[in-house]
Each structure stands twice: as structure tokens, then as C-alpha cells.
Amino acid sequence: MMEDVGEVLIVGAGPVGVFSALALAQTGVKVTLIEAGAQIMDSPRNAVVMPSTILVFQELGILPEIEALAVPCTTLGLHVPGFRESFTLHYPEMFGWPIDRQLHVGQHLFTGIGLEHARRAGVDVRFGTALTGFSQTDDHVVAEVETANGREQLRAKWLIGADGGRSAVRNAMNVTFDGFTWSNRFVATNIYCDFASYGYGPANFICDPVYGGVIALLSKDGLWRVTYQEDAALPAETFLERLPERFDHILPKAAAYTIDTASPYALNQRAASSLREGRVLLAGDAAHVTNPNGGMGLTGGIWDAMILSDVLGAVARGEESEVILDAYSRERLRIFWEIASASAVENKKMQERSDPAERQADLEGFRALATDPELSKATFAYPFRLIGDTLRETSRWRTIDPTGGAIIGSSHSQLSTGQR
Ligand SMILES: Cc1cc2nc3c(=O)[nH]c(=O)nc-3n(C[C@H](O)[C@H](O)[C@H](O)COP(=O)(O)OP(=O)(O)OC[C@H]3O[C@@H](n4cnc5c(N)ncnc54)[C@H](O)[C@@H]3O)c2cc1C
């Protein structure tokens, strides 16, 4: 059975697919969103909403609902237990923006809010619908999908692959997924543990060659995310057997804890060779994957979604030529390799460095960050640098006004140098 499903078919109801769908629907584009799972995936994944993503939620009109669920975070703790040193950085000084905080909230929760708004904006949402392949002509794409009722064909003008790191859309395209896989993996755990009583603020980076990681408050009821690394050569399925030894070193001595959820995941720095093949486009983890140090992956993915929905909406309405879609591919790949991946690699190396002289140099750097607001402002402009070039003079993102006074999108070159 062949069904016409409108202008844009989006594959994957993760955050990138959902927010692309919402942004397109808000500008009058008819969108269908398909998801292989029966619901939004709720395993422990991204938990930190960076300031530039807060701008997105504000513009899409969903920020108050997300803030109601989230823990606001205005400090970052840098801990170097091997040197018995800790530093606290203050976001209002660091970001120097009107949006001077992060929000801590599980990605399934903010994606769920986005999904409800997408439905209300007219998006046709179909769970239990998995793409298995596609074909395309000059004026449409036909997606092959599996549903509980069997195989179906969905026809649309455009197709967005937002189906995550193992993207079936990307695999069916004539592109390569270039880069490398790290020799260690991350284990993301959600646990109840009273870190606050041991002096931890809501966001913490632990630098240690063996027991480095991240500790972050996730919810108002005291759920915390603890992420650590282990050798990827160890069997992933037995990671829970090794967890107590890790926690003995990472958690405060004698701290009681209860594990809520935990999952291991492979770390990669990879991107597709192109994000466009005719009428098929990639965004988010389907387009590129990075280790999560610094929260670059999803923040970059959300901005893929915003820039793509803006340019594709303009193409669908006949306001722009299709050529702009090639510019989308080039610019988002540039942002990924030059900013997202490069910073995430540096953050990961910093977290696990073992050379004493290099660690000492890192300590000096932390000291400077903690005492020099201008330096920390320049260093921590990176969530805004992931916005990149908004590609159109009339882009929705060129006129967004986070302050009631400033215009951000047109100031790409300023953002790129971390200035305001
Ligand atoms: C365990 C774990 C912990 C993480 N922690 C962090 C973190 O702390 N910080 C951070 O920045 N990032 C983190 N990440 C990465 C972050 O979660 C991803 O960058 C983010 O989920 C990407 O969003 P997305 O919408 O592009 O893809 P996804 O969230 O992967 O969504 C893709 C969706 O597509 C669906 N799908 C897949 N194939 C098909 C198909 N054939 N047909 C239809 N639907 C399909 C999937 O079911 C899924 O719902 C973590 C990831 C993992 C796995």
C-alpha cells in the first residue's frame, strides 16, 4: 500500500526528529514523524540542556514546561582528586548571556513535551513504524516501512533521517561514516545518592586517568547521573559486575547509593561524508556522533534540526532553491568537525590525562578559569558556537531575540570567536 504523507517524512522520534517536526509544523509544513519504538526511548541518555538549546526551547514556545521539570544549574565543579584540588565556575560569569544557566532534565522528558506540541501543531506521529529502506525520484521519496500491519510505502517530498547513530536512512544512502571509535566506552548510570551533602554542586567534571567522569544532578527528587569510562575490550554485558569497584573510587567514601538505571555505550567521533542525497537529509546522531564530554552531541544535533527545518521549510514553500540544502550539509559538517568533535575530544583527553606535567598544566588552566571571567567567557562560548551560520537572511534564527535587545543569528562571526 502506498500512502502520501505530506511534504516531509521524518524518521526517528528522538529529540532531533521531534524538534525538527515541531519547528517545521510551526511554519505550516505538513509533517509525518515515524518511530520504530512503541514510545519515546527512555534509557539514560543526555541530561544537560545547554544554554543555546534553551534558546531553541524558548523560540519554540516550550521552555516554561521544560523548566517546570528541570533542575536549574548555574555552577560547574572541576575536581582533580589526585591533586586534592577542586574549583567552582559560575555560569552567569562564564556565559555572560541573559541565558546564564543549564537545565538538567532527562532527554526523554523534554522530547516528550516537544512531541505533544508537535502533535498539537498538526504533526502525524506514528510509533511502531520502522524504516527499512527508501527510493527517490526528482520530485518525491518513497520510504519502505514495517508496521504491526506489515510492510507499507510512505511517499513524501522530502525525508529527514533523524534515526540515531545506527541510522537506517544513512546506511541506505551512498555515504561513508568517517572517523574513529575510542578504545574505551562510557557507562551512564542514574543513581540516588546524597552528593549534595558531600559538597557537590549540580554539575561536576572529575579529572582522573582511571576514575574520571561526570557527576550531575538530574531531578528534584535527588536522582544523579554518574558517568565513568571503562576499557571497551571488556565485555559490555558484564559491566554491572565491575560497577561497585568503580563507584568505590568515584563516589564519596561510605556514601550509600541505589542504582535506578545504567547502560554502557560505545564512544565514537564520526560523521557522514554528506548530509544530503537528493531529497534525503540527515540530522543529529544519524549525521554525526561524538563522545558526550561537554554535551556537544545533542546540542549540535538540536541546531542541525533548527537550521534544517528553517531551510527545508523555505524550500518547501518555494522561497529558496534546493541548493541551500547543500549549504546545510557543508555548514553542519564544518560545525561538527571544527567545534563539536574537536572540543569533545579535548574535553575527553583532559578528563583522563595521566602525564603529571600535563595534569599540572590543566590545573593551572582551571585556576585561571576560576579567577578570570573574561577567559571563562571566551572558553565557555562553545554552546553558542554550535549554532553556526543560519544560512538565510530571513531565517527564524536570525531574528531570535533572547535579551529583548540582541539579535544572535546574524552575528555568526562574533559567536564563532566567542564574543558578544
Ligand atoms: C547511554 C547514552 C548516554 C548518553 N549520554 C549523553 C550525555 O550525557 N550527554 C550528551 O550530550 N549526549 C549523551 N548521549 C548522546 C545523546 O543521547 C544523543 O546525542 C541524542 O540522543 C541524539 O538524538 P537523536 O534524536 O539524533 O537520536 P536518538 O535519540 O538516537 O533518536 C533516534 C530515534 O530513531 C528511532 N529509530 C532508529 N531507527 C529507526 C528506524 N529504522 N525507523 C524509525 N525509527 C528509528 C530510535 O528508536 C530513536 O527513537 C548519550 C547517548 C547514550 C546512548
Side-chain angles (χ1 to χ4, degrees):
M1 183 181 87
M2 168 93 76
E3 184 188 359
D4 276 309
V5 292
E7 209 80 39
V8 181
L9 175 63
I10 300 178
V11 185
V16 171
V18 165
F19 292 115
S20 300
L22 175 57
L24 277 162
Q26 284 181 342
T27 58
V29 177
K30 168 91 178 77
V31 179
T32 297
L33 173 63
I34 62 169
E35 162 60 44
Q39 58 182 35
I40 286 176
M41 211 188 275
D42 64 356
S43 59
R45 302 181 115 210
N46 176 275
V48 174
V49 175
M50 305 296 277
S52 57
T53 307
I54 294 178
L55 284 180
V56 170
F57 293 161
Q58 182 174 277
E59 168 68 11
L60 296 179
I62 59 176
L63 183 58
E65 281 168 72
I66 291 172
E67 278 187 311
L69 293 180
V71 180
C73 170
T74 56
T75 58
L76 172 65
L78 295 170
H79 308 275
V80 194
F83 289 77
R84 296 179 185 279
E85 293 236 32
S86 286
F87 306 88
T88 302
L89 309 183
H90 297 270
Y91 288 150
E93 288 171 15
M94 285 155 56
F95 293 135
W97 273 73
I99 295 178
D100 55 4
R101 64 198 182 285
Q102 290 178 172
L103 297 175
H104 290 196
V105 54
Q107 76 176 45
H108 62 293
L109 295 174
F110 63 72
T111 304
I113 290 171
L115 186 73
E116 281 320 303
H117 281 261
R119 278 198 171 109
R120 272 182 250 151
V123 175
D124 179 355
V125 182
R126 303 181 187 190
F127 283 99
T129 306
L131 176 133
T132 55
F134 65 80
S135 57
Q136 60 176 315
T137 66
D138 283 349
D139 65 358
H140 65 256
V141 185
V142 176
E144 309 286 335
V145 299
E146 291 264 357
T147 72
N149 302 324
R151 299 176 73 87
E152 294 173 16
Q153 291 184 316
L154 306 179
R155 183 164 58 192
K157 292 269 183 210
W158 301 94
L159 185 141
I160 298 177
D163 51 343
R166 295 186 180 151
S167 175
V169 174
R170 188 188 67 236
N171 289 337
M173 290 166 72
N174 190 22
V175 296
T176 49
F177 200 41
D178 307 320
F180 69 92
T181 300
W182 294 86
S183 62
N184 46 18
R185 69 169 70 92
F186 260 32
V187 176
T189 69
N190 287 359
I191 68 169
Y192 288 98
C193 176
D194 192 3
F195 283 104
S197 72
Y198 294 95
Y200 283 87
N204 304 276
F205 220 53
I206 318 293
C207 298
D208 187 274
V210 182
Y211 299 105
V214 173
I215 298 177
L217 179 59
L218 284 189
S219 69
K220 292 170 183 168
D221 72 344
L223 187 66
W224 291 73
R225 164 69 51 80
V226 177
T227 303
Y228 59 85
Q229 308 192 58
E230 67 169 20
D231 189 339
L234 295 165
E237 58 283 5
T238 56
F239 81 95
L240 274 176
E241 293 170 13
R242 297 181 292 275
L243 181 146
E245 188 270 336
R246 295 275 136 171
F247 275 13
D248 275 352
H249 288 87
I250 298 167
L251 269 51
K253 288 279 168 262
Y257 65 87
T258 314
I259 299 173
D260 184 49
T261 49
S263 60
Y265 66 106
L267 300 176
N268 294 281
Q269 306 300 138
R270 291 184 186 275
S273 48
S274 172
L275 309 191
R276 179 185 182 203
E277 187 174 286
R279 297 185 159 267
V280 178
L281 296 130
L282 295 173
D285 275 18
H288 42 66
V289 286
T290 174
N291 84 77
N293 276 296
M296 313 299 283
L298 185 54
T299 314
I302 295 269
W303 277 97
D304 291 349
M306 293 308 107
I307 304 301
L308 179 56
S309 50
D310 183 72
V311 296
L312 188 58
V315 171
R317 290 187 300 275
E319 295 166 15
E320 294 282 351
S321 114
E322 289 178 23
V323 176
I324 200 167
L325 301 174
D326 294 322
Y328 160 79
S329 173
R330 280 193 303 274
E331 174 62 0
R332 296 317 297 172
L333 284 175
R334 182 187 77 77
I335 290 290
F336 176 73
W337 284 118
E338 290 183 11
I339 301 173
S341 180
S343 322
V345 166
E346 182 44 37
N347 283 339
K348 184 172 184 300
K349 286 184 176 165
M350 183 189 77
Q351 196 179 71
E352 65 198 23
R353 253 195 277 278
S354 56
D355 179 83
E358 288 177 1
R359 297 188 74 201
Q360 195 63 49
D362 285 342
L363 264 186
E364 294 305 325
F366 295 164
R367 239 173 241 129
L369 283 174
T371 52
D372 181 346
E374 286 311 310
L375 177 67
S376 62
K377 223 178 264 182
T379 306
F380 286 89
Y382 68 85
F384 298 104
R385 297 176 67 199
L386 295 173
I387 298 171
D389 193 326
T390 52
L391 302 177
R392 288 194 325 125
E393 282 306 318
T394 51
S395 164
R396 170 180 199 176
W397 302 102
R398 234 167 236 229
T399 54
I400 185 177
D401 180 356
T403 62
I407 297 196
I408 61 157
S410 56
S411 54
H412 163 57
S413 55
Q414 291 176 325
L415 288 166
S416 298
T417 55
Q419 295 162 3
R420 279 275 300 155

